[in-house]
Amino acid sequence: MVFEARSEAESEVAEALERELPHKHYEVLQSKEFIEHPDAGGFFEGEIDIVVFSPEDGILVIEVKGGGIEYNGRRKRWYSLDHLHLKHEIDDPFRQATRASRFFRDWLKKKGIKHKGREAIPVSHAVFFPDIRWGNKPIPSHARPELILDSSHLRRLRKVIPQLMRQFKRPYHRELTEWEIETIRTGLLYPMANVMPTLKSNIEREKARFVRITEDQKVILDYLAEQNQLAIRGFAGTGKTLLAAEKARRLYHKGLKVVMLCFNRPLCQDLRKALISFSDRVDVYTYHALCKDLCKEAGIAFTEPDEEKEARTFWDEETPLMMLDALKKTERRYDAIIVDEGQDFRKEWFEALKHALADPEKGYFYIFLDPNQCIYCEPADLPVPLATSILRRNCRNTKSIGELVETFGNVEMTYHPEAPVGEPPTFIAYKDEEDELVKVEATLQKLLTTDGLDPEDVVCLSTHSKAKSCFSGVEKIAGIAMTEELIVPDRRIRFSTLHRFKGLEANVVLLCDVRAESKTCQPEHLYVATSRARHRIFIFHEETWQPPDLDT
C-alpha cells in the first residue's frame, strides 16, 4: 500500500501496521478527512491519521502524535516537544480520536449498517505515540491506558491491534454482509466518484439558451408591424408558432378582438393553454372547430357523414360553405385572424375566413406556414401577400438535430451563435416489431433512470397508428403507463403519430416504425417528425432503411 507522507510519525505507524497485520483480514488507510454535523449545530472538520478496517473486528481509528509529548493536567493542555525541547500546544489526541470514532459510528448508522439501532460492528479508537514510551505516566480522566500505543508496540502490532479492537465488541454487533463490506470500502474508506452531467441537466442548460434565442426571434414582428395582412414562411423549428402567438398578444394589447387558428387539435390545446390569460379577446380554434362553433351559433346543423369518402368531402369542401352561411346569420366578427400551420389550409377555407374579419380589406390577417410540411394536401393559394424573406434561423432544435431536419427537408437553416450543438441523432436498427419494442424499452429505461428524465420529457412518435406500430396493445413501457394525451401527460409516456404531433415539440423524441417502403416515411414525413425533438432524438428503423449521411 502507498501511504501519503503527512508526517514521518504517521508513515512509520502506517507502514508498521501494513507490515505486521495480515492483509487477508486487515486494511490500513492513512489520512482520512471528514466533516461532521454535531447536534449543537454547525460543521466540524476533522482528520483521522490512520484507519484500520477488518470485516471481523470492525474499525479502528488511530490518532498519531510524533516527537516528545507533555500533558498538563492542571491546565488540561497537550504539547509536543521538538528536539530542542521547545513546546508547541496541540489538540487533545484522545478527544480527536473519540470524535473521529463517533463520525464513523454515525456514518454506519446513516448507511443502514446497523443492528438494533446501533452500528453493526465495533468502532474503536486509540492514540499512538511512536517516538516515546508512555509507561505509567498520568493520563486524562477521559482516556484509558488500553487505548495508548507507543514505541514498545511497533513490533507487536499483529497481537496488540486485534486485542484492542475486540475490547469494543458488544452483544449487538454482528457479521457484515458482502454488500455492507463493499459499502464501507467504496463509500467510506476509498470513495470514488465519476459523475457526469445527466441528460436532464444538459437539457435544462440548453433550454435556458433557447429561451434567449426565441426572445430574439420576436424582433421579426417589429419589422413587419406596419403590414396588416401577410403570409410568413419559415422552416421547421424557426419559431412560427411562437411568433403567431406573440402577434396575437400584441394585437390583444391594442384592444383588438383576435382569433387564432391552426389545423391540429393537440396544437390548438397547447395554444389555448399558452394564451389563457388573453381569452377574453383571443379565441383559439382549429379551423373546423371554429366552423362548427359558428354553425351552432347560427342554428345550422353540423353533422359529419359516416362514410369516409363523404366525410373527406364534408371537411374539405362543405365546411367553408357552411361557414359562409353561418357568418351571414351571426354578427361575430374579428379584428384580426392569425393562422398557424397555414400550409394545411385549403384555398376555400381562407376565402371563407376572410369574411370573418370586421374589415376584410384592412383587418389583420397573418398566416404562418411551412410548405415543406405539407403532408395532408398541396399548398393553397394565399389570400394575402407573401413576405419576401423566409424564416431560416432555427430556435427550437440543437444544431445536431437541425442538421438532420435540413437533410430530410432539403433546406438550409441558420443558427444563433449561442445555439447548443447537442448530441448527434441516434439510429437504432431493428429486425422486427418485437425486436424494436425491446430496443425502445431499453432506451426509455436508460433515459428515465441513468439520464434522469421525467416521463413528460419523452414522446414516442410513430409513422403509423398505434394499432399498426410496435406499440400495438402496449399499455405500459419501461414500467410507465403510456398515454395519447399530449398536452397533460401526467407522469406518463406520450404516444402519438407524427401527423397528430405536428406543431408540438418534446425534449426527447423516440421516432419509431421507420420502414423502408412505407408511404408515411417519406422525407416530408421525417422532416416533420425529427423537427419535433428539441434536445435529443432516437430513430428506430428497419435494417433495410438507410440513415442519411450527416457528414456530407
Side-chain angles (χ1 to χ4, degrees):
M1 178 176 291
V2 177
F3 296 112
E4 179 185 350
R6 288 181 60 251
S7 75
E8 289 185 12
E10 287 179 30
S11 294
E12 182 184 9
V13 172
E15 289 169 5
L17 289 165
E18 181 71 10
R19 183 177 61 249
E20 294 289 323
L21 296 176
H23 294 175
K24 183 177 179 181
H25 300 290
Y26 294 90
E27 300 174 41
V28 180
L29 175 70
Q30 184 182 358
S31 183
K32 174 68 182 177
E33 295 177 343
F34 67 93
I35 297 179
E36 66 173 340
H37 192 176
D39 295 336
F43 290 96
F44 171 82
E45 295 185 18
E47 185 167 9
I48 304 165
D49 292 333
I50 295 175
V51 180
V52 178
F53 172 57
S54 164
E56 294 82 12
D57 295 334
I59 295 172
L60 169 65
V61 296
I62 302 176
E63 181 67 26
V64 179
K65 296 297 181 185
I69 298 293
E70 178 181 309
Y71 172 65
N72 187 320
R74 183 181 296 276
R75 301 183 61 190
K76 297 182 180 179
R77 295 286 190 270
W78 286 83
Y79 303 92
S80 68
L81 305 174
D82 62 22
H83 65 285
L84 297 176
H85 295 278
L86 296 176
K87 293 197 300 187
H88 308 277
E89 187 172 349
I90 59 175
D91 291 331
D92 184 331
F94 291 95
R95 294 199 184 281
Q96 285 182 288
T98 301
R99 186 175 288 149
S101 62
R102 184 176 63 226
F103 164 78
F104 271 82
R105 286 196 297 271
D106 290 344
W107 188 92
L108 291 168
K109 287 187 282 189
K110 287 175 183 176
K111 290 297 181 181
I113 306 175
K114 58 185 179 180
H115 184 59
K116 296 183 178 180
R118 304 186 182 188
E119 70 280 0
I121 56 173
V123 178
S124 51
H125 63 275
V127 176
F128 211 130
F129 304 114
D131 297 327
I132 64 172
R133 290 205 176 194
W134 189 264
N136 295 319
K137 302 293 190 301
I139 59 173
S141 58
H142 60 276
R144 292 175 58 85
E146 299 92 332
L147 304 182
I148 297 177
L149 302 171
D150 59 25
S151 60
S152 67
H153 297 99
L154 284 172
R155 295 293 177 182
R156 298 187 292 120
L157 294 176
R158 177 182 290 266
K159 181 178 179 181
V160 170
I161 294 299
Q163 286 178 344
L164 191 156
M165 295 177 74
R166 287 165 190 163
Q167 288 183 58
F168 285 78
K169 196 170 184 66
R170 299 293 180 266
Y172 53 80
H173 290 143
R174 60 170 174 78
E175 185 178 347
L176 294 177
T177 66
E178 288 297 324
W179 175 84
E180 289 171 333
I181 294 171
E182 190 61 24
T183 299
I184 292 171
R185 285 188 179 126
T186 59
L188 183 61
L189 301 181
Y190 320 107
M192 291 185 62
N194 184 2
V195 184
M196 297 295 291
T198 63
L199 176 55
K200 182 73 171 180
S201 63
N202 286 338
I203 285 176
E204 292 303 319
R205 187 165 53 252
E206 292 172 359
K207 194 179 293 184
R209 290 196 195 180
F210 281 130
V211 169
R212 296 193 296 270
I213 293 169
T214 51
E215 286 300 312
D216 291 349
Q217 197 82 323
K218 294 177 183 178
V219 176
I220 294 168
L221 294 176
D222 297 335
Y223 299 131
L224 304 175
E226 300 302 317
Q227 300 187 61
N228 286 16
Q229 300 192 356
L230 190 67
I232 302 170
R233 291 176 296 171
F235 299 139
T238 54
K240 297 181 298 301
T241 301
L242 169 91
L243 293 176
E246 178 63 17
K247 187 65 179 179
R249 293 186 189 97
R250 294 186 180 191
L251 294 176
Y252 171 90
H253 288 304
K254 293 180 72 171
L256 303 184
K257 176 71 174 175
V258 182
V259 63
M260 185 163 182
L261 300 165
C262 60
F263 182 83
N264 265 13
R265 280 180 288 182
L267 176 58
C268 180
Q269 286 179 264
D270 198 42
L271 286 168
R272 190 171 290 144
K273 184 179 175 183
L275 295 169
I276 189 68
S277 301
F278 308 90
S279 58
D280 57 316
R281 284 201 315 277
V282 177
D283 293 339
V284 182
Y285 290 101
T286 63
Y287 165 78
H288 291 112
L290 174 62
C291 184
K292 184 176 182 179
D293 205 37
L294 287 169
C295 287
K296 181 179 179 181
E297 193 174 309
I300 298 173
F302 191 94
T303 306
E304 178 188 0
D306 293 329
E307 203 275 321
E308 183 179 349
K309 187 175 181 180
E310 290 180 4
R312 185 171 301 173
T313 302
F314 172 80
W315 292 116
D316 292 348
E317 301 174 16
E318 294 180 23
T319 52
L321 299 175
M322 295 169 69
M323 181 181 285
L324 288 171
D325 288 343
L327 287 169
K328 292 175 184 177
K329 298 178 182 181
T330 66
E331 296 182 358
R332 193 199 306 192
R333 295 294 184 272
Y334 293 97
D335 300 310
I337 295 174
I338 300 174
V339 175
D340 192 22
E341 299 185 298
Q343 72 280 348
D344 298 325
F345 281 52
R346 295 179 177 274
K347 178 182 178 181
E348 296 81 7
W349 300 3
F350 284 129
E351 291 174 351
L353 281 172
K354 200 146 192 181
H355 288 79
L357 281 171
D359 186 340
E361 299 303 320
K362 297 182 180 179
Y364 287 89
F365 201 149
Y366 267 61
I367 301 171
F368 294 84
L369 71 156
D370 180 4
N372 294 286
Q373 295 191 51
C374 286
I375 56 177
Y376 295 113
C377 62
E378 291 299 316
D381 293 334
L382 300 171
V384 296
L386 185 66
T388 54
S389 59
I390 300 175
L391 299 179
R392 293 183 180 275
R393 174 173 281 184
N394 188 302
C395 58
R396 175 170 66 210
N397 315 114
T398 63
K399 288 181 180 179
S400 295
I401 295 174
E403 290 171 2
L404 180 65
V405 175
E406 290 180 70
T407 300
F408 288 129
N410 194 26
V411 298
E412 186 173 341
M413 291 189 281
T414 62
Y415 300 88
H416 192 281
E418 292 187 26
V421 175
E423 295 180 7
T426 301
F427 295 92
I428 301 173
Y430 61 84
K431 297 176 182 177
D432 50 36
E433 287 185 3
E434 184 177 347
D435 181 44
E436 179 182 15
L437 186 60
V438 168
K439 290 177 176 176
V440 170
E441 188 158 27
T443 301
L444 267 173
Q445 191 72 48
K446 180 179 180 299
L447 290 171
L448 297 173
T449 53
T450 307
D451 295 326
L453 296 189
D454 297 317
E456 297 92 326
D457 289 319
V458 185
V459 64
C460 293
L461 289 188
S462 176
T463 59
H464 295 72
S465 66
K466 191 175 182 184
K468 296 181 180 179
S469 75
C470 67
F471 301 101
S472 178
V474 175
E475 296 183 0
K476 278 189 174 185
I477 186 162
I480 307 293
M482 298 194 77
T483 181
E484 294 186 60
E485 167 56 59
L486 301 181
I487 307 305
V488 188
D490 191 26
R491 303 291 297 174
R492 293 174 290 178
I493 299 292
R494 290 174 289 175
F495 169 85
S496 177
T497 62
L498 67 91
H499 301 75
R500 188 164 176 259
F501 205 71
K502 191 165 66 67
L504 300 178
E505 55 192 44
N507 288 335
V508 178
V509 167
L510 275 60
L511 178 57
C512 307
D513 307 305
V514 176
R515 302 167 186 169
E517 303 300 326
S518 175
K519 293 180 180 180
T520 55
C521 294
Q522 300 307 305
E524 61 268 25
H525 298 95
L526 301 180
Y527 170 80
V528 170
T530 54
S531 64
R532 303 305 101 200
R534 282 193 292 253
H535 304 279
R536 301 292 182 272
I537 188 163
F538 299 81
I539 300 177
F540 298 83
H541 61 89
E542 282 184 333
E543 293 178 341
T544 54
W545 184 83
Q546 185 64 40
D549 185 358
L550 298 178
D551 294 328
T552 57

